[in-house]
């Protein structure tokens, strides 16, 4: 009986996004005084309907409701909801310009010597243990037909490696390169993995089951981004059950508060981290802690730098990194008129004037991240209208709406960009085929799906081995790729042992032999 009660409590905790190794049991039922103080706060904010079913709850459920409601300031929720619902429309009277050359560079147009200098600078910083990585991994593979964290997803490579493993092995390889190039005993790139409520426990379990993919456990920290209540179209907090508020992750912009409220910033400080790379888990080609990018940003003394890829066409629906009224910013595709989207570059007539597509791949100086408490609360919240299951306050029954009935509040990671002076912002254009292949859609979609992700890795591997002097042969047109393990080559380097060899595709190059 006791075990059954414990299982029920843990299930409730997971639904509330409160489950963790540190909170295996439900919180105690609040005292009468505690309850009245909290109820008064919600009453003043006109959100006291969340206590509708309190008297009918068990002691464990009362404790859970109290704990979850204590996480929020209802008046603050009202304020950010009001601002988000009544945000002024984007001004049409804005000046958009490409970022100036002084703030930008392009891998496509830079000479090899320049790239080597940046790469050497980045590896030097890694060898000094000054570079860290923050992974935004809060998403589930729902569109992919999986409820597991997206990083667990297997895109059916010949090696059967997950996204998490591919990225972990790139970190391992960089650590080895830094050690070898700078003759140091140890080079560590700490990996901070930001999850959401539904993905934290499965992510931790996946890492443990796979022995952290060869990385030292102490150098991998899994933490959780915040959540915000879901509210109805008239601003009322929705209940997901009689004892829990409906909540949703606070968007990729929640990374800033999460770095502070977790122990991540403290850990970075203790380690002496000065440079931070942040990226999204669904990009199978991401160059984690890319020394070229880190070296570029450090050479600019930037507080924020961002990678971009060249926009495929004028009508590709992507956000763009631009200068907006003199400040670095992201402008959404829907905010750009047809003439602006199709405008040609003044000096390169074959290129679009606005072509720097945002891929959510960013560099931060540690000194800038230290300032988070002074500005994070000023970032705006945005609304996403959704169909949100909720409890009917009259009947107590769960309702699954057929059309959007409420909003989720979220922040965007790029909303901080305009806070920077231009001389503290930098932008590096990289090759899409080498660095950007997002996994967004279900298999068979034909775009940004498991098949395209797998093909992009295999085609990149083929380019790597052919550049090293190997010949790739295949029996059929659809089996032309080569998977090169990140453990032996991060970006095509050190593959000279393949010179003169013939490789039959599909193939996996896991070690030098």
């Amino acid at each position: 009986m006791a075990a059954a009660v414990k299982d029920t409590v843990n299930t409730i905790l997971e639904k509330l996004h409160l489950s963790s190794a540190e909170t295996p049991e439900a919180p105690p039922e609040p005292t009468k005084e505690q309850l009245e103080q909290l109820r008064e706060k919600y009453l003043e904010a006109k959100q006291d309907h969340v206590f509708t079913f309190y008297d009918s709850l068990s002691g464990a459920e009362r404790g859970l409701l109290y704990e979850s409601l204590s996480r929020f300031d209802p008046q603050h929720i009202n304020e950010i909801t009001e601002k988000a619902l009544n945000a002024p429309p984007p001004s049409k009277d804005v000046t958009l310009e490409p970022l100036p050359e002084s703030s930008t560079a392009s891998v496509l147009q830079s000479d090899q010597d320049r790239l080597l200098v940046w790469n050497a600078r980045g590896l030097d910083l890694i060898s000094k243990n000054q570079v860290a990585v923050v992974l935004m991994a809060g998403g589930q593979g729902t569109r992919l037909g999986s409820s597991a964290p997206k990083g667990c997803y297997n895109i059916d490579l010949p090696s059967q490696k997950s996204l998490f493993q591919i990225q972990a092995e790139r970190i391992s390889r960089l650590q080895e390169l830094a050690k070898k190039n700078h003759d140091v005993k140890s080079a560590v790139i700490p990996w901070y993995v930001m999850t959401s409520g539904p993905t934290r426990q499965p992510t931790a379990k996946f890492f443990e089951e796979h022995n952290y993919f060869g990385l030292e456990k102490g150098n991998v920290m899994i933490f959780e981004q915040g959540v915000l209540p879901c509210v109805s179209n008239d601003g009322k907090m929705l209940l997901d059950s009689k004892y829990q508020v409906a909540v949703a992750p606070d968007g990729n912009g929640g990374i800033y508060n999460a770095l502070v409220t977790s122990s991540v910033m403290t850990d970075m400080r203790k380690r002496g981290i000065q440079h931070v790379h942040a990226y999204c888990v669904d990009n199978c080609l991401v160059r984690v802690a890319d020394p070229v990018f880190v070296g570029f940003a450090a050479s600019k003394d930037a507080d924020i730098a961002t990678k971009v890829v060249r926009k495929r066409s004028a009508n590709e629906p992507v956000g763009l990194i631009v200068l907006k009224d003199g400040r670095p910013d992201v402008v959404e595709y829907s905010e750009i008129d047809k003439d602006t989207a199709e405008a040609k570059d003044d000096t390169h007539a074959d290129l679009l004037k606005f072509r720097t597509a945002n891929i959510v791949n960013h560099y931060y100086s540690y000194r800038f991240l230290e300032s988070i408490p002074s500005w994070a609360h000023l970032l705006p919240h945005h609304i996403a209208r959704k169909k949100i299951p909720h409890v009917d306050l009259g009947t107590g029954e769960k309702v699954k709406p057929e059309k959007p009935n409420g909003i989720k509040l979220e922040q965007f990671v790029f909303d901080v960009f305009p806070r920077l002076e231009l001389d503290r912002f930098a932008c590096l254009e990289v090759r899409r085929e080498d660095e950007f292949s997002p996994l967004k859609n279900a298999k068979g979609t034909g775009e940004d799906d498991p098949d395209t992700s797998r093909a992009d890795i295999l085609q990149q591997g083929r380019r790597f081995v052919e550049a090293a002097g190997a010949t790739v042969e295949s029996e059929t047109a659809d089996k032309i790729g080569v998977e090169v393990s990140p453990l032996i080559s991060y970006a095509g380097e050190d593959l000279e042992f393949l010179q003169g060899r013939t490789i039959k595709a599909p193939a996996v190059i896991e070690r030098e032999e």
Side-chain angles (χ1 to χ4, degrees), residues 159-177:
S159 68
Q160 298 296 297
K161 292 176 182 178
S162 65
L163 295 176
F164 279 141
Q165 182 170 352
I166 294 166
Q167 293 162 24
E169 290 183 354
R170 287 177 184 147
I171 291 175
S172 293
R173 173 64 178 171
L174 272 187
Q175 291 176 160
E176 290 303 313
L177 284 174

Side-chain angles (χ1 to χ4, degrees), residues 299-312:
S299 70
K300 291 282 190 181
D301 196 25
D303 279 332
I304 295 179
T306 185
K307 279 189 178 184
V308 297
V309 296
R310 191 166 289 179
K311 194 176 178 182
R312 286 187 176 125

Side-chain angles (χ1 to χ4, degrees), residues 123 127 173-185 187 488 493-494 496:
L123 285 176
S127 75
R173 173 64 178 171
L174 272 187
Q175 291 176 160
E176 290 303 313
L177 284 174
K179 285 166 58 178
K180 181 175 71 172
N181 288 11
H182 292 275
D183 194 25
V184 294
K185 292 183 178 180
I488 65 167
E493 79 289 339
D494 292 348
E496 293 82 6

Side-chain angles (χ1 to χ4, degrees), residues 214-252:
L215 297 173
E216 290 291 332
K217 179 179 179 179
N219 295 325
V220 179
M221 179 182 294
I222 297 172
F223 68 109
E224 190 173 328
Q225 72 180 104
V227 295
L228 288 169
C230 301
V231 299
S232 65
N233 288 327
D234 58 358
K236 294 295 184 181
M237 293 167 61
L238 295 170
L239 289 177
D240 186 58
S241 74
K242 294 179 180 180
Y243 51 81
Q244 68 187 77
V245 174
V247 296
D250 53 4
N252 58 21

